[in-house]
Amino acid sequence: MKRIVRRILLALALTGGLPLAAQAAEFFKIDPAHTYPHFAISHLGFSTLYGRFNQTSGSFMIDWERGIGSVDVKIAAVSIDTGFKKRDEHLRSPDFLNVVEFPEIRYRSTKVTLKGKESAVIEGELTLHGVTKPVTIHVDRIHCGTNPINKKYTCGFNARTKIKRSDFGITYALPAIGDEMELWFEVEGQRE
Amino acid sequence: MGSWMSHPAVQAAVLPFVVAGAWSLASVRRWAPWAGLGAVLGFAVTVWQVADFSLTPFTSTRKLIWSVLAGAAVGLACDLLCPPRRLIHNLWWVLAGGAALWMVWPVVQYRGGWPGVVVGGGALLYAALQVALGDFLRPQPARAEAAAWVLPLGAGAVCLLGASALLGQLGLALGFAGLALWLVGRRWPLRAPAAWILPGILGGALVAYAGTVYAQVPVPALLLLACALPVLWIPRPAGWPESREPVFRVVLAALPVALAVAWTALTQGPPPL
């Protein structure tokens, strides 16, 4: 009898511990209406061209207890938007993104290190124009809480990095159109 | 000098024209088929300026470039080895159809089903038909030579208007290089060497089809470009001097090409440059 009770208590302790361990890692689905990747690139040395991608999806995970996380973001290359239709068509063409052949831009983390409650460093791989390269992204301004509009638990952050488009095989009009691109992201996700 | 070389018009027109013209002038009196290589040499100079010869990532544009280069090699082999006409004909349209399908294969895979079949089947038929017609024209050099530069020139122009400057420059380069050969041929007959005709027509067909699939070239423009070779079967008017035959053939081929360019300009607007 004592052995049975001991086994029941042990089982309760193990199963009772699971929800606590699961709560340490929080999973978020990216909110496409409030997540935008932006880029900036030199245009012929005269000015900086800014643009963004309008369609983003994916997910991220934050484990505050262990100070780790993960990110998996997909961007529809065709959603590029620089505010000028003819230029957007040019950017979608084989000269640059070649969106028909490479419709998706993807970033998947390999390691996320949280630095306190408000910043992080994400190491991962960016797949752009059919080429995958390691890219490190710096995250700041992490903020989590209950969204007062939809009452859902939401986390958001800003992130930035720099890449060279030539590393990804996008070499048309170099060096007239800049090689180095600044990327930054405003991301929001709702807990699943 | 550097800024002059980076001008798009120099890269796509002046450089290939000068290189092709110089090569063909230097080689035509030794052996005409060698002069035919001038077209692909002019094309290669433009590739060196606006793209590259690397293989990774092996994009559709790089497949197009290597298909044109391979076409020149196959054409030169046909000129050197003189295989039977039937063998040449079958080899050309199989290679052309295969190259076109290879170029659009990622889209065929991505779209799948009937949309993929339409894209892939269309590419295969379009390129194979153009090249087969070009081979039929070769026994009449004036017709084949007109096709070999007017078609890629028109394909380049519609691609430029259809929002791909890169495809546009590749097509224009083949066209202007071919124009240089055509002009040389007025003084020293080239007799439509395969080293020029095959890559010229294949390149024109691939550039046009790529422009429709990957850029904004409208389908009617693609179909109008396809008419550039069939119209060359129209007989010369009675009383028209034979010495004017080459010009007559160029004007004939240019008519549907001009319509294709006009259609694209009306529907797509100015080029993105």
Side-chain angles (χ1 to χ4, degrees), chain B residues 176-250:
Chain B
F176 279 103
L179 172 60
L181 263 65
W182 186 82
L183 290 171
V184 168
R186 305 287 59 76
R187 175 66 180 84
W188 296 281
L190 296 175
R191 296 188 188 88
W196 170 22
I197 303 302
L198 177 55
I201 294 177
L202 174 62
L206 291 180
V207 166
Y209 203 86
T212 304
V213 173
Y214 296 109
Q216 302 289 321
V217 172
V219 171
L222 183 71
L223 298 175
L224 283 167
L225 287 172
C227 297
L229 270 72
V231 297
L232 291 167
W233 261 270
I234 295 174
R236 193 173 73 241
W240 190 279
E242 196 173 333
S243 60
R244 301 279 175 87
E245 174 85 10
V247 173
F248 174 67
R249 294 300 162 194
V250 166

Side-chain angles (χ1 to χ4, degrees), chain A residues 33-47:
Chain A
H34 295 94
T35 298
Y36 293 102
H38 290 81
F39 65 89
I41 194 165
S42 169
H43 179 251
L44 302 178
F46 292 121
S47 68

